[in-house]
Amino acid sequence: MKRLLITGAAGGLGSAMRARMAKFADLVRISDIADLGAAAPHEELVICDLGDAEAVHSLVEGCDGILHLGGISVEDKFSKIMNANLLGLYNLYEAARAHGHPRILFASSNHTVGFYRQDDHIDATAPMRPDGLYGVSKCFGEALARMYFEKFGQETALVRIGSCMERPTNHRMLSTWMSYDDFEALIACVFRAPMLGCPIIWGVSDNDSRWWDNSHAAYLGWRPGDNAEHFRVELEAKVPRPAPSEPLAHYQGGQFTQDPIFTEE
Ligand code: NAI
Ligand code: 15L
């Protein structure tokens, strides 16, 4: 690619992926609503609120690919979710439509299906069962992306990320964890595939105890190489195993299923 855009680049995942993206494009346009620090020689920094349509149009112009990580990433007030995850996504897709349909990787979430039980094994055809307004916003994002695909041919990878971080920190994450290396490899497959379409892809490493089936997306050639099981002994020495009745051990969405609906002030 000539220019790859990363939104949400100041966040946890964005910070982990930022340097890794240098090899994917000549130029990387780094964006967030928050401070982004200093630009590396191959980077362009753009501070932008995803809720600002005009700013998002300029942000997307000239980009050949978009790694869309920006937005509210946990349960929050609806007004905040609405601006970043609903309006922000609409702005992004309208901008992509106006600027040549750059391929998009959308960071969706396992919270689109958080109310499945941990003994359910599901694939991409399972009906959505979001576990909060945040999860609902990701369902909206997937539906919006699908509509832009059907109507305009806009390609998007809908990556339902499990828990992408350095290492699993609780028992649930032995199933949901995705390593940074595996995410980077998935990004490569998504942007290099001759034909992408608009698949749902479970963003999860090759964990022994995973709940999600990615066989429909085998055409992308993504073979995650890490396995959370390697952390089990270390984790169990530090973290008590939750009782089977606890949400953390019961629902795929874990504790998110217990979050309240936050009221506006
Ligand atoms: P994060 O909360 O650390 O980063 C999100 C970034 O988006 C922040 O830097 C924030 O400033 C930015 N942002 C928020 N509102 C914005 C707005 N209106 N305009 C522009 N930027 C805005 O989240 P994290 O963990 O880095 O996740 C990145 C993406 O991946 C999120 O979309 C999240 O929903 C998704 N995801 C992450 C998972 C994980 O395990 N880290 C799991 C599932 C989904
Ligand atoms: C998410 O969607 C969140 O963005 C992230 O912070 C993690 O909590 C992750 O899901 C998870 O379910 O572990």
Side-chain angles (χ1 to χ4, degrees):
M1 281 179 280
K2 283 208 176 87
R3 187 185 278 111
L4 170 70
L5 167 64
I6 310 180
T7 66
L13 258 187
S15 306
M17 289 301 126
R18 181 171 169 173
R20 291 169 180 251
M21 292 301 105
K23 52 183 157 313
F24 285 71
D26 300 337
L27 274 173
V28 185
R29 187 172 287 172
I30 305 284
S31 177
D32 205 289
I33 200 171
D35 182 54
L36 289 158
H42 67 284
E43 290 180 340
E44 303 169 337
L45 306 191
V46 183
I47 300 294
C48 166
D49 179 353
L50 290 163
D52 178 341
E54 213 176 303
V56 173
H57 272 258
S58 311
L59 181 69
V60 167
E61 188 170 10
C63 296
D64 321 290
I66 304 177
L67 176 58
H68 184 50
L69 304 176
I72 301 299
S73 63
V74 290
E75 198 61 13
D76 211 323
K77 289 179 189 160
F78 184 65
S79 54
K80 289 179 72 178
I81 291 175
M82 187 171 65
N83 179 65
N85 296 14
L86 305 190
L87 181 58
L89 211 70
Y90 164 73
N91 289 340
L92 189 83
Y93 276 81
E94 276 297 282
R97 185 159 80 92
H99 297 296
H101 299 293
R103 192 173 276 186
I104 299 174
L105 187 158
F106 168 51
S108 184
S109 171
N110 72 87
H111 297 289
T112 50
V113 295
F115 270 115
Y116 281 93
R117 289 162 48 111
Q118 295 188 6
D119 55 1
D120 288 324
H121 182 83
I122 58 175
D123 65 17
T125 64
M128 291 167 169
R129 294 176 69 180
D131 55 23
L133 294 176
Y134 164 65
V136 169
S137 77
K138 295 295 187 182
C139 297
F140 168 86
E142 291 189 6
L144 188 89
R146 186 78 210 172
M147 184 273 282
Y148 276 84
F149 175 63
E150 310 270 23
K151 218 165 186 159
F152 306 115
Q154 168 69 56
E155 293 191 303
T156 302
L158 306 167
V159 182
R160 288 183 179 168
I161 302 173
S163 309
C164 191
M165 48 194 66
E166 199 75 48
R167 56 186 56 225
T169 57
N170 60 40
H171 285 77
R172 170 180 166 270
M173 289 182 193
L174 293 172
S175 300
T176 61
W177 182 67
M178 174 167 65
S179 69
Y180 291 145
D181 284 351
D182 282 340
F183 189 36
E184 180 187 331
L186 174 57
I187 296 168
C189 290
V190 164
F191 287 112
R192 285 179 191 153
M195 196 201 71
L196 174 65
C198 191
I200 290 169
I201 303 158
W202 302 98
V204 66
S205 282
D206 190 25
N207 306 328
D208 288 357
S209 61
R210 68 193 177 279
W211 308 310
W212 307 316
D213 181 350
N214 259 333
S215 46
H216 66 287
Y219 69 96
L220 291 174
W222 182 49
R223 300 279 180 274
D226 289 314
N227 186 340
E229 204 57 31
H230 295 135
F231 295 95
R232 185 181 288 274
V233 173
E234 176 191 318
L235 187 128
E236 293 205 321
K238 285 192 232 152
V239 183
R241 187 176 301 178
S245 57
E246 284 182 45
L248 206 54
H250 191 81
Y251 292 114
Q252 295 195 359
Q255 207 54 43
F256 279 57
T257 60
Q258 306 305 300
D259 283 335
I261 299 292
F262 292 100
T263 48
E264 307 286 335
E265 267 131 41

